[in-house]
Amino acid sequence: MLISAASGYGLWRELAPFMAKPIEQALTPDGYAGEDFDFGLSSYSKTLVMKDCFRIVLAYRDIDMIDEAARDVVSKCANRASDIVATTPTDSFAWLVRAAASVRLLARDEFNAALRQSQLTGPNEQWIARFRVSLAETYFPQLSAETVKLEAADLKLLVSSERGVKLIAERYVSNPDFRARITAIVEAMPQDRQIVFLRNVKKSMGKG
């Protein structure tokens, strides 16, 4: 009987992410206040919740964060991410969610600490690196010197991949403040990667 009950509870926890409110409703945070972002024991269940949290946390505008209900939703995501890394400290994406929630809550030190942990625990996860770079560049003035150094590794990783180099080239074209930093990284790479990067920059400029 106890085994059956435990199994049923475990299944209920695994299904929790599928029973959550549609994340579009989070844009009206008052109606989303009851969502607890529960997850099961599997990494799949945790990742589903963290992906929802990541999208929700970054969907709010700065003016939205004045609202206590919006801050409460972001705080719940921060706490859930902390729950995950407390038992799985190598979960790079959960660390990233913790970083995203922290920067929205104006917790600069926590933002940098969590972002560094994401970088250190998932240095070769390209799909996470893409999100890390986007977050870091959006809040670049909030980065510490150490976090900036670690971000350089993410930039190098993305420039080394076919999909990543396109994203970096697009950012090069759209963000003049980004150009000097990425140029220094690309110049230190093999010539074939430099050529690929230049080719993608031309394409992004409509000249390729």
Side-chain angles (χ1 to χ4, degrees):
M1 184 70 175
L2 288 176
I3 295 176
S4 176
S7 176
Y9 177 73
L11 178 60
W12 175 78
R13 290 287 300 275
E14 287 296 314
L15 291 174
F18 299 98
M19 305 302 292
K21 297 177 182 178
I23 64 172
E24 290 77 14
Q25 292 184 18
L27 295 179
T28 53
D30 285 329
Y32 214 73
E35 184 57 53
D36 61 3
F37 301 99
D38 201 9
F39 53 80
L41 296 176
S42 71
S43 59
Y44 178 70
S45 174
K46 294 173 183 176
T47 299
L48 284 178
V49 172
M50 288 295 94
K51 284 184 174 181
D52 281 352
C53 269
F54 191 71
R55 291 174 61 188
I56 289 169
V57 164
L58 296 181
Y60 291 131
R61 300 165 300 169
D62 288 344
I63 195 170
D64 294 327
M65 294 302 295
I66 298 174
D67 185 0
E68 183 178 352
R71 294 197 307 273
D72 183 59
V73 171
V74 174
S75 294
K76 285 182 180 180
C77 281
N79 291 335
R80 283 304 188 187
S82 294
D83 291 341
I84 291 174
V85 298
T87 56
T88 314
T90 57
D91 192 321
S92 178
F93 191 65
W95 279 116
L96 179 60
V97 174
R98 176 68 192 185
S102 295
V103 77
R104 299 314 312 279
L105 294 169
L106 305 180
R108 182 177 183 270
D109 289 344
E110 292 178 17
F111 164 57
N112 278 280
L115 189 58
R116 288 197 301 270
Q117 285 302 119
S118 179
Q119 291 163 328
L120 292 171
T121 55
N124 299 313
E125 296 284 348
Q126 289 190 20
W127 72 276
I128 301 177
R130 292 198 299 271
F131 291 127
R132 275 199 302 262
V133 166
S134 179
L135 182 67
E137 291 298 326
T138 299
Y139 296 97
F140 191 80
Q142 304 298 321
L143 297 184
S144 67
E146 182 181 357
T147 313
V148 170
K149 290 179 181 178
L150 287 172
E151 193 209 4
D154 278 339
L155 294 173
K156 184 177 180 180
L157 176 67
L158 294 183
V159 172
S160 299
S161 71
E162 293 308 311
R163 182 176 180 182
V165 72
K166 295 177 182 178
L167 297 175
I168 298 301
E170 290 170 1
R171 187 174 294 278
Y172 177 92
V173 172
S174 64
N175 185 359
D177 293 335
F178 177 70
R179 293 174 188 171
R181 287 185 289 115
I182 191 60
T183 297
I185 292 171
V186 174
E187 285 179 342
M189 299 181 72
Q191 188 175 19
D192 62 325
R193 294 312 305 172
Q194 295 183 33
I195 293 172
V196 170
F197 175 71
L198 290 172
R199 186 183 303 136
N200 278 273
V201 168
K202 290 180 179 180
K203 288 181 179 179
S204 295
M205 296 175 67
K207 297 180 179 180

